[in-house]
Amino acid sequence: MLTRRMGLQTVGLMRILSIAYGQFPQVFKLYSRFQPGIGHLKVILEITPAGGFERARFLTVFRQLAEFFPTISQHSCCEEWETAPLYLEKEDGVSIKRVGEAADVAHLIEHVIVDMQVGLGGLHRCSGLTCGWKDPDNRFDLFVECANARVGLFASQFAVYLVSRILTKRKLSARNRFVLTLAAYMQANPSVNIDVPGLARALGWKKRDTEMALSRLREFGFFENGKDDEVREEEDV
Amino acid sequence: MYRATPKRHNNRIKQLFMAKGLTARDSGNIADHESSPVAGLYRIVLNCESKNAGAEQRRKITVGFPTD
């Protein structure tokens, strides 16, 4: 089994090969409702093994994610196919498709990234694509609209971390909420000093919890330097 | 006569993260982003949409069409 290494290259069953940010015009051929002018994240992810994601296991992941990100339960599908909620209470499950493959897990990760883009990234609407490779069949390209590359980098790595933790540990620690809450606080207060005592006071947390959350934010790239407006149009000269 | 000049994307892809030991070629020819979605590369595409307008939160997902 793969194990976690530095920089979240490999987390449990997941391996992030790369994360890029820019304009990918050809993705409009796969989904016409992407908003023009907004950049996309491209996350290349491998899930090992490709199989073994039966419905019960999938639901374990989905239910815990729905607790952590309640708006996921409001998802619905499907344009051009049928309209139905993502979560069907009467079936106690999901309707998006017949689940049971790694693509469903990659798709959930994409949803978490989308959710965080809306919650943290300043987007009112966010669309994403999960594209499963033919070969290797455990590799996925996730394209997600993104207005802030730094937030996108964080959201991608944190989403993979959360899903991987559920798959390997079966239970998501409530302490992860500190990470998300601190990210939201830092986004809302961009000029705040990044010091543990001050943040602990402001949030009413123990220093230990604040330290942990801050450490995770650093690990997941939340403080990576870089301009957020890396992608823009220029006229021909 | 005025004729609109088409704009061209200044497509600067910013590499935010690359796993150690990998090259762009290893991870799906990252340098060639624009061609990948139409190269018959994918066996399945799942897409979704999130909308957050004020108090209303709506999510929409479009799922599952083969790319062959």
Side-chain angles (χ1 to χ4, degrees):
Chain A
M1 178 185 290
L2 297 171
T3 55
R4 186 162 176 273
R5 294 203 304 258
M6 288 292 290
L8 275 179
Q9 296 167 32
T10 307
V11 186
L13 307 169
M14 317 282 175
R15 187 181 193 212
I16 296 176
L17 299 185
S18 81
I19 302 173
Y21 175 63
Q23 295 279 4
F24 305 95
Q26 295 300 321
V27 299
F28 285 84
K29 294 183 178 178
L30 298 177
Y31 186 57
S32 62
R33 286 178 54 80
F34 276 135
Q35 302 165 86
I38 294 182
H40 287 84
L41 291 172
K42 182 182 182 183
V43 181
I44 305 180
L45 175 71
E46 282 190 350
I47 299 177
T48 305
F53 297 100
E54 68 279 3
R55 180 183 170 88
R57 196 176 189 203
F58 175 84
L59 285 178
T60 298
V61 179
F62 177 76
R63 286 178 182 137
Q64 292 209 37
L65 288 177
E67 280 184 29
F68 210 83
F69 301 98
T71 46
I72 278 183
S73 297
Q74 299 171 18
H75 292 192
S76 64
C77 61
C78 313
E79 188 183 62
E80 298 169 1
W81 281 68
E82 58 181 304
T83 300
L86 172 61
Y87 183 73
L88 287 176
E89 286 191 22
K90 65 179 181 180
E91 293 190 10
D92 198 20
V94 292
S95 62
I96 53 172
K97 63 188 282 290
R98 185 172 296 169
V99 297
E101 58 174 314
D104 303 311
V105 175
H107 189 206
L108 280 181
I109 289 171
E110 180 221 306
H111 271 276
V112 174
I113 298 172
V114 164
D115 217 82
M116 282 195 266
Q117 291 296 314
V118 173
L120 299 172
L123 288 174
H124 290 294
R125 175 181 134 197
C126 182
S127 297
L129 280 176
T130 297
C131 305
W133 283 46
K134 289 177 180 172
D135 183 27
D137 63 0
N138 67 332
R139 184 175 294 181
F140 302 91
D141 290 349
L142 314 182
F143 295 93
V144 180
E145 286 180 331
C146 175
N148 184 321
R150 185 175 52 80
V151 171
L153 178 63
F154 162 74
S156 303
Q157 297 190 93
F158 193 43
V160 170
Y161 171 80
L162 292 175
V163 172
S164 183
R165 291 291 288 187
I166 300 170
L167 283 170
T168 55
K169 304 289 184 185
R170 305 188 67 84
K171 183 70 180 173
L172 201 56
S173 167
R175 298 185 75 207
N176 288 301
R177 290 188 189 281
F178 288 113
V179 182
L180 200 57
T181 302
L182 183 57
Y185 181 79
M186 302 293 285
Q187 278 299 104
N189 301 278
S191 59
V192 72
N193 287 333
I194 306 173
D195 73 292
V196 171
L199 290 171
R201 270 195 309 275
L203 292 161
W205 292 353
K206 295 177 181 172
K207 286 183 182 177
R208 187 184 63 180
D209 294 328
T210 310
E211 266 176 355
M212 179 278 298
L214 205 51
S215 169
R216 291 289 182 182
L217 288 187
R218 286 198 182 96
E219 186 180 3
F220 299 147
F222 190 82
F223 299 112
E224 290 288 322
N225 291 325
K227 294 179 181 177
D228 296 334
D229 59 346
E230 285 292 323
V231 183
R232 58 175 180 259
E233 289 187 348
E234 289 181 1
E235 286 191 80
D236 287 344
V237 291
Chain B
M1 180 179 172
Y2 175 79
R3 187 165 64 88
T5 304
K7 287 186 176 181
R8 184 176 60 191
H9 284 292
N10 180 25
N11 193 17
R12 291 176 295 161
I13 303 295
K14 183 179 183 183
Q15 191 67 51
L16 302 174
F17 173 84
M18 175 75 78
K20 286 177 184 170
L22 288 184
T23 66
R25 187 181 184 86
D26 294 327
S27 57
N29 196 11
I30 288 165
D32 190 17
H33 292 281
E34 296 190 14
S35 68
S36 57
V38 292
L41 196 65
Y42 302 129
R43 61 186 167 79
I44 187 170
V45 174
L46 313 173
N47 65 41
C48 61
E49 177 184 312
S50 158
K51 192 167 190 176
N52 181 2
E56 181 192 4
Q57 283 205 325
R58 189 165 61 85
R59 299 286 191 274
K60 190 173 185 181
I61 308 166
T62 307
V63 178
F65 56 90
T67 56
D68 287 335

